[in-house]
Amino acid sequence: MHAWKIEQREYERQEARRGRRHAFTSLVPARTALVVVDMVPFFVEENEYTYGIVPNIARLADALRAAGGLVVWVLPGTVEPSPLAREFFGPEIAGMFSRSGGEGPLRSRLWHEFVVHDADLLIEKTAASAFFPGFSPLPALLRERGIGTVLITGTVTNVCCESSARDASTLGYRVVMVADATSAPRDEVHNATLHTVYRSFGDVRATDDVLALISG
């Protein structure tokens, strides 16, 4: 697991601003979605930290479902690499990323340790963010269900998870990034994203803290 942290001075900064450490001190499970980003073999198998977050994601999913909330599994969609992607990454890497989500039914492409329930949503995104308009159906699906709070989990913390957190905040969602249910290649980049999200886009909590919020 990551040795994650928010620096004490940042906690103190936010406490001075709003009178409390955490932005969101409660949540309504029925209006909350657990958003699980890119937990497919391509990403799980390349980073040992990602193996470690699987149990925490599963715990959150079980608890939120039981409380009446929504679980959303977001997978990379397969699209032909754009000219920009080919220019930026190079043709070989751009092609590799375009196939990262795998082939076949969405449920079969998800990491095999997860149990998907029929009421869960399985969707694809074709951009880094699961919330960027036009590249994912997620915002519309959440609006239909009256979702106001999103719990961001999955991988990679500093790319697709951070992009999703930023865009969700811009769209008006209460964002909670779950620090020990997200993963990156190194502690340094993981913690940099947690700092950015906590400071400007949402809350950062541990799995046990979120479970306590779900249970009320």
Side-chain angles (χ1 to χ4, degrees), residues 150-169:
V150 293
L151 312 175
I152 303 294
T153 66
T155 197
V156 176
T157 310
N158 56 309
V159 185
C160 292
C161 294
E162 181 174 345
S163 296
S164 297
R166 286 170 176 256
D167 287 343
S169 176

Side-chain angles (χ1 to χ4, degrees), residues 85-104:
R86 291 180 182 276
E87 181 181 17
F88 186 83
F89 293 110
E92 182 178 351
I93 300 302
M96 180 181 70
F97 281 136
S98 75
R99 299 185 297 273
S100 63
E103 298 180 345

Side-chain angles (χ1 to χ4, degrees), residues 2-8 11 179 187 190-192 194-195 204:
H2 282 294
W4 74 272
K5 67 175 182 178
I6 301 291
E7 292 185 2
Q8 181 61 30
Y11 281 136
D187 289 344
H190 182 74
N191 287 334
L194 299 186
H195 173 89
V204 173

Side-chain angles (χ1 to χ4, degrees), residues 24-164:
F24 311 124
T25 57
S26 65
L27 58 81
V28 178
R31 299 196 64 233
T32 300
L34 175 69
V35 178
V36 185
V37 178
D38 289 354
M39 291 297 287
V40 296
F42 178 89
F43 290 109
V44 176
E45 292 172 351
E46 77 165 10
N47 177 10
E48 64 180 356
Y49 287 119
T50 311
Y51 290 101
I53 67 174
V54 170
N56 283 345
I57 293 173
R59 291 168 64 206
L60 289 164
D62 288 343
L64 189 58
R65 283 193 205 96
L70 179 67
V71 177
V72 186
W73 308 96
V74 182
L75 285 69
T78 301
V79 292
E80 187 66 22
S82 68
L84 176 59
R86 291 180 182 276
E87 181 181 17
F88 186 83
F89 293 110
E92 182 178 351
I93 300 302
M96 180 181 70
F97 281 136
S98 75
R99 299 185 297 273
S100 63
E103 298 180 345
L106 294 183
R107 190 174 294 204
S108 71
R109 289 157 51 186
L110 189 67
W111 183 247
H112 67 274
E113 292 183 79
F114 292 122
V115 177
V116 180
H117 291 218
D118 290 340
D120 297 351
L121 295 182
L122 283 144
I123 67 165
E124 291 180 301
K125 62 177 177 62
T126 54
S129 170
F131 288 85
F132 198 88
F135 291 85
S136 166
L138 184 57
L141 293 170
L142 297 186
R143 281 196 301 272
E144 290 172 3
R145 290 160 173 79
I147 298 297
T149 300
V150 293
L151 312 175
I152 303 294
T153 66
T155 197
V156 176
T157 310
N158 56 309
V159 185
C160 292
C161 294
E162 181 174 345
S163 296
S164 297

